[in-house]
Structure formats: structure tokens, C-alpha cells
Amino acid sequence: MDITKVTATFAVAPQVLETDMPVIKAQGITTIINNRPDGEDGHPSSHAQLQSAAEALGLKYYFIPFVGMNFPPQTLAQMAAALEHSSGKVLAFCRTGNRSINAWAKANEAANTGLDTVKLVASTGFKLV
């Protein structure tokens, strides 16, 4: 698994599979946010399959899908709420991780968390849009 740590409590990854869930849990991650819509090209697992595998291991699972780099206010509000209600480490994923890290940054900006998301994202090699 290619997990990119952004902060002590947030990381992003490209596509996650059901078989990745034990590895994710072993890394101390307690919450998964799936930003990838079902049916997207190359998406090998459905949201329901991933949710079932995550919850079987006691992981919290949020399905907050969106397409491309559009960030509807509702999506950002859902991301902010999922982050706020997560007591441990969070892993968000999409096809490459770029959509997820941008949604995380924009949700933090909208919630005025005070994080320097520009600096944090730049340190990962991802690009803000």
C-alpha cells in the first residue's frame, strides 16, 4: 500500500481494496474516507464491499464520493464532519490520492482549522487545485 502521511492524524492513498484493510488497521488508522464514486473507471471494489471489510475490523468508514476536482460545499461539509468525528488516524482515498488531499485541504480551510494546508500538501508532492 502506498500511504502518504500528511499530518500525524491524516493520510491519503490511491485505491484501497478489501484486502488492504488489515494492513490499514495495523498502521493504527481508525477511520477510512472513500472519495471514489462506485463505477468510476478502474474502480475494482464497490463502496459496499469496502465498507463491509472496514467495519468487520472495527474501522469507521465514510463514503463521500465526488468526481474530478469539483468540490461542492456539501462534499466539503461531509469531509469536515468526518474529520471532526474521527478520534484517531484517518486515511482518505481516491484513484490517486490527489482528490482526497485536495478535499481535505479545502475542508480544513472552510472550517478555519488554522492548519497550513498549502505547506502540508506541498510537502507530500501532491498539488493543490
Side-chain angles (χ1 to χ4, degrees), residues 19-122:
T19 56
D20 295 327
M21 296 302 172
V23 174
I24 290 167
K25 183 175 175 118
Q27 292 189 26
I29 293 166
T30 59
T31 301
I32 296 173
I33 300 174
N34 177 356
N35 295 132
R36 195 156 190 202
D38 277 346
E40 187 176 51
D41 281 347
H43 193 342
S45 302
S46 72
H47 144 67
Q49 292 168 315
L50 294 169
Q51 182 174 13
S52 178
E55 290 178 349
L57 294 173
L59 300 171
K60 276 186 166 181
Y61 180 92
Y62 293 92
F63 185 50
I64 309 172
F66 62 100
V67 177
M69 289 300 189
N70 64 358
F71 301 96
Q74 178 183 345
T75 297
L76 298 182
Q78 289 174 321
M79 282 292 289
L83 294 165
E84 183 179 327
H85 292 103
S86 299
S87 59
K89 295 180 181 178
V90 176
L91 174 67
F93 78 91
C94 57
R95 188 178 62 81
T96 66
N98 197 47
R99 215 179 328 180
S100 293
I101 200 169
N102 272 276
W104 168 83
K106 291 182 183 312
N108 274 283
E109 290 167 10
N112 294 316
T113 62
L115 286 175
D116 186 348
T117 56
V118 173
K119 182 178 177 182
L120 288 166
V121 172

